[in-house]
Amino acid sequence: MIPLWENQNDIPLFDSANPFIPHLVPFIIESSNQLPCIIVFPGGGYTHRAQHESEPVCLWLNSIGISAFVLNYRVQPYKHPAPLLDAKRSIRLVRYFSKKWNIDPNRIGVLGFSAGGHLASLAGTHFDSGDKKNNDPVERISSRPDCMVLCYPVISLAEYAHEGSKKALLGENPDPVLVWTLSSHNMVSSNTPPTFLWHTSDDSSVSVENSLLFAMALKKYKIPFELHIFPHGRHGLGLADDILHVKEWTKLCEKWFESIGFIRYNV
């Protein structure tokens, strides 16, 4: 376990009545080369973090030569912006310690499922270059991920919203401006990183329109992306090992990683 902040008193918005310490669980490959890295954001509707979208995903990433971390970010009763602060800090922290962990600081991506996919999409649309005057050296580092993998993600908090995630993150009657800015397709820009998305067309919990909205926004700004929509499959499949056609997403994603230069088998 690697705490995102060294001291409890440094954790922004820390609530002593709910003293959860946001942290990373490392799955670092030992190597003499600098390897790519993915930070995994499990889903859970911002009320919990799904275990099947955590360690098994990191082990798959390790199997294709990618070091990985699970981010245990803050969830209910914590609300926005606590999860996003955790996500941004996790990217800064991995980049800051990249040399120590044999990670390429220019190949650090995020991968999220469902509400974790929403958080990953926020990380890729609400990043900053770091506060160069901050006393904490980690906070001087960029929080921009170099790529995103969004798996049946929550994207919109307005039309097509997953109401459970929205309520857990923003509470009752949220500010409409906040709803708009946290609907991440509205925040895509020319600096948004390359993105891989997948969804099932009959997902009854988070509608496929969420991925379509994000893909259309990426197209508008000419951001490279790959989108796969499978015809059938329940929500929350994770690696989808038990669904013959959907489980192909990991092989497709691996080829996409190679196509954007994130993994380099010839090195």
Side-chain angles (χ1 to χ4, degrees), residues 69-186:
F69 295 84
V70 174
L71 173 62
N72 285 314
Y73 55 93
R74 284 172 285 182
V75 296
Q76 198 175 64
Y78 284 95
K79 290 185 166 48
H80 176 76
L84 181 55
L85 292 173
D86 296 347
K88 293 171 73 172
R89 177 73 178 191
S90 72
I91 298 166
R92 295 190 216 278
L93 193 71
V94 171
R95 190 163 276 137
Y96 181 78
F97 285 111
S98 59
K99 187 174 182 180
K100 174 183 177 183
W101 294 331
N102 291 320
I103 288 168
D104 184 343
N106 299 311
R107 287 187 291 161
I108 297 172
V110 292
L111 184 158
F113 298 87
S114 192
H118 179 252
L119 185 58
S121 74
L122 293 182
T125 53
H126 289 73
F127 55 82
D128 62 77
S129 59
D131 178 3
K132 304 308 178 187
K133 297 180 180 179
N134 200 295
N135 291 330
D136 180 351
V138 176
E139 288 298 313
R140 302 173 199 158
I141 304 295
S142 169
S143 68
R144 182 186 182 274
D146 295 303
C147 68
M148 295 189 286
V149 177
L150 308 181
C151 311
Y152 42 88
V154 174
I155 294 295
S156 175
L157 298 183
E159 192 178 10
Y160 309 116
H162 180 254
E163 292 298 330
S165 297
K166 178 180 177 180
K167 183 178 178 181
L169 184 64
L170 298 179
E172 300 281 0
N173 304 312
D175 180 348
V177 174
L178 199 58
V179 170
W180 193 89
T181 57
L182 295 183
S183 295
S184 55
H185 63 292
N186 293 325

Side-chain angles (χ1 to χ4, degrees), residues 196-203 208 227-233 237 243-250 252:
F196 179 97
L197 304 104
W198 73 271
H199 222 114
T200 56
S201 63
D202 60 355
D203 189 322
V208 69
L227 168 65
H228 294 275
I229 300 175
F230 300 97
H232 301 295
L237 287 171
I243 309 294
L244 186 61
H245 61 298
V246 184
K247 73 178 182 179
E248 293 300 307
W249 82 262
T250 55
L252 293 166

